Amino acid sequence: MLSVDEAFSAILAAVETSAPEPTALADALGLTLADDIISDIDSPPFDKSLMDGFAVRAEDVTGGKATLRVIDEVMAGSLPSKVVRQGEATRIMTGAPIPEGADAVVRVEETSFNAENGTVEISSPSTSVESNLMRRGTSMRRGDRVLPAGRILRPQELGALAELGVHTVNVRPRPTVAVLATGDELVPVDQTPGPGQIRNSNETMLVAQIRRAGGEPVPLGIARDNRKDLGERIAAGLQCDMLLLSGGVSAGKLDLVPSELEAAGVGQVFHKVRVKPGKPVWYGNMEMPNGPCRHVFGLPGNPVSSLVSFELFARTAIRKLMGIEPAAPKAVRARMVAAHIARGDRPTYHPARLELSGEGAVVRPVAWQGSADLRSTVEANAMILFPAGDQDYAAGDTVEVFCWDDLS
Ligand code: AMP
Ligand code: MG
């Protein structure tokens, strides 16, 4: 049986990052750039004022005092019409171009304008050459690499691209990810279960997990535990870049998923990982004659197994397709806030509550009844990795934690 790290390696080796697609900036949040972005402009494009005030020659303001003749006025979006000569000043607004001859801006708060004789009195001990102005190209220059290939686009990257006039970018697209729940006991969530039945809660949860990971979910409903229904729905799911099946991968009599996937032409890469919960997880893939390789995960049906094995394995594949690095989950270290007794023959990902305190990251396991106890996970925002074996933890001990949520 593979270890979790071996399973990550197998997924990362099998999944190739998707070919880039030109995408409108408005749709590119969270996607990764396929190419370096080189500036074809200087920013700012001209020497500009950073303040409302007066553009002056710094040498005229010796000792911080001066009385200067106001010769011109320049607003953002217009151009100065006069050269500032000795003893002169131009009234200027934030963002307006610096007039020729001026080499500093005095803030309006440090001036007093005399409308009767058209002069301005300056009282600004701090004014010196370059005060309150920004020279052309000091933020970026034509030819600068502003963003590297592989960068995940956040609001500030999108803003920088917009400043450059790049309105379409080459990014790795969101993979389409089909979700197929399996089980004769399942009813849709808007129905009342009859005797022996339960609601198909995994589909809703997986759809949300796919969306949070950056993928485009495609729910396919419920497949019954017979070869015909399962086979037909698997064929539909293989139209997407990825297919996630929920249930039917363990050792039960009607656990038909692995054999039906193989019958559909999906080659098994691994089945079962040394992990708790989620041991029966299955991963395989299928080369397509005209299109990218399909990736298929059979996730165990127990809700917490489904939740955890998605976060460990399916999310890693989605991120690799999208060019997000690192693709595999990354642990943070946190201190336990209370004692805990860990017992298990497999590494266990235990639902937990992670907080950022004044003293750093602290974590506590939530009370949890195992892989069928989804209710406990609503109290959790993370999972603690307890290594295999018996270990007694004391408050203050450091453990590895994988966070599900944005803690900010
Ligand atoms: P299985 O992996 O198919 O053996 O299912 C394991 C357990 O998970 C069983 O108790 C199932 O009823 C339950 N289960 C399977 N699929 C779902 C689902 N889509 N939503 C909620 N529970 C499920
Ligand atoms: Mg089942």
Side-chain angles (χ1 to χ4, degrees), residues 182-185 225 247-248 254-255:
T182 73
D184 287 339
E185 74 281 30
D225 291 323
L254 291 180
D255 287 339

Side-chain angles (χ1 to χ4, degrees), residues 5-358:
D5 283 337
E6 287 166 341
F8 289 152
S9 298
I11 294 165
L12 294 175
V15 179
E16 263 181 62
T17 297
S18 302
E21 282 177 9
T23 301
L25 276 197
D27 301 324
L29 180 65
L31 303 182
T32 56
L33 270 181
D35 311 315
D36 287 349
I37 298 291
I38 310 295
S39 176
D40 66 352
I41 59 165
D42 288 338
S43 177
F46 46 84
D47 298 346
K48 74 171 181 183
S49 178
L50 297 177
M51 292 287 170
D52 296 325
F54 289 86
V56 302
R57 301 163 72 97
E59 61 182 22
D60 283 350
V61 195
T62 43
K65 301 271 181 206
T67 302
L68 304 172
R69 203 157 55 80
V70 179
I71 56 158
D72 194 12
E73 192 172 71
V74 54
M75 305 289 164
S78 63
L79 294 176
S81 60
K82 293 194 176 119
V83 178
V84 175
R85 300 188 194 281
Q86 196 176 17
E88 296 176 346
T90 287
R91 187 194 287 275
I92 195 164
M93 303 304 146
T94 305
I98 302 290
E100 208 182 305
D103 59 9
V105 172
V106 181
R107 295 186 300 130
V108 70
E109 294 84 350
E110 296 176 331
T111 67
S112 155
F113 180 64
N114 183 336
E116 267 160 39
N117 62 9
T119 62
V120 61
E121 207 170 297
I122 287 171
S123 174
S124 170
S126 65
T127 287
S128 61
V129 175
E130 307 294 293
S131 290
N132 300 321
L133 59 80
M134 192 174 184
R135 293 293 180 191
R136 170 178 181 152
T138 44
S139 173
M140 68 180 153
R141 287 196 179 284
R142 180 192 295 257
D144 280 355
R145 187 175 74 159
V146 182
L147 300 173
R151 174 64 62 87
I152 302 171
L153 298 178
R154 302 168 300 163
Q156 59 267 51
E157 277 86 15
L158 295 172
L161 289 164
E163 186 183 358
L164 290 170
V166 178
H167 36 84
T168 303
V169 274
N170 263 343
V171 290
R172 312 292 173 176
R174 297 180 189 286
T176 53
V177 186
V179 177
L180 180 56
T182 73
D184 287 339
E185 74 281 30
L186 300 178
V187 300
V189 294
D190 57 356
Q191 288 180 24
T192 303
Q197 296 182 324
I198 58 168
R199 293 194 179 92
N200 173 18
S201 55
N202 285 352
E203 178 187 285
T204 304
M205 186 162 59
L206 286 168
V207 161
Q209 286 181 285
I210 291 162
R211 201 164 273 142
R212 182 167 69 177
E216 191 70 54
V218 180
L220 296 180
I222 299 164
R224 296 307 172 194
D225 291 323
N226 64 73
R227 295 202 178 275
K228 183 170 181 297
D229 194 29
L230 197 54
E232 281 171 10
R233 287 174 194 261
I234 284 173
L238 289 171
Q239 302 298 309
C240 291
D241 298 308
M242 270 176 74
L243 166 60
L244 306 184
L245 292 105
S246 153
V249 286
S250 327
K253 207 173 152 194
L254 291 180
D255 287 339
L256 307 173
V257 167
S259 57
E260 273 310 301
L261 285 171
E262 300 249 23
V266 185
Q268 177 183 314
V269 174
F270 60 76
H271 187 191
K272 297 198 170 77
V273 174
R274 207 177 320 119
V275 61
K276 192 177 165 181
K279 180 171 114 181
V281 62
W282 190 99
Y283 165 64
N285 55 38
M286 184 162 94
E287 293 296 341
M288 302 298 282
N290 33 22
C293 181
R294 307 304 199 224
H295 299 279
V296 183
F297 288 85
L299 306 176
N302 264 315
V304 187
S305 307
S306 174
L307 178 80
V308 169
S309 50
F310 177 94
E311 291 299 322
L312 293 177
F313 306 118
R315 176 176 176 273
T316 297
I318 291 174
R319 287 166 68 88
K320 180 76 192 283
L321 285 169
M322 295 180 70
I324 300 174
E325 285 188 45
K330 221 179 140 199
V332 297
R333 316 226 4 120
R335 282 180 307 101
M336 298 277 285
V337 293
H340 180 80
I341 299 168
R343 297 277 178 272
D345 56 348
R346 281 171 275 150
T348 299
Y349 289 80
H350 190 118
R353 186 88 210 163
L354 178 69
E355 311 282 356
L356 298 180
S357 77

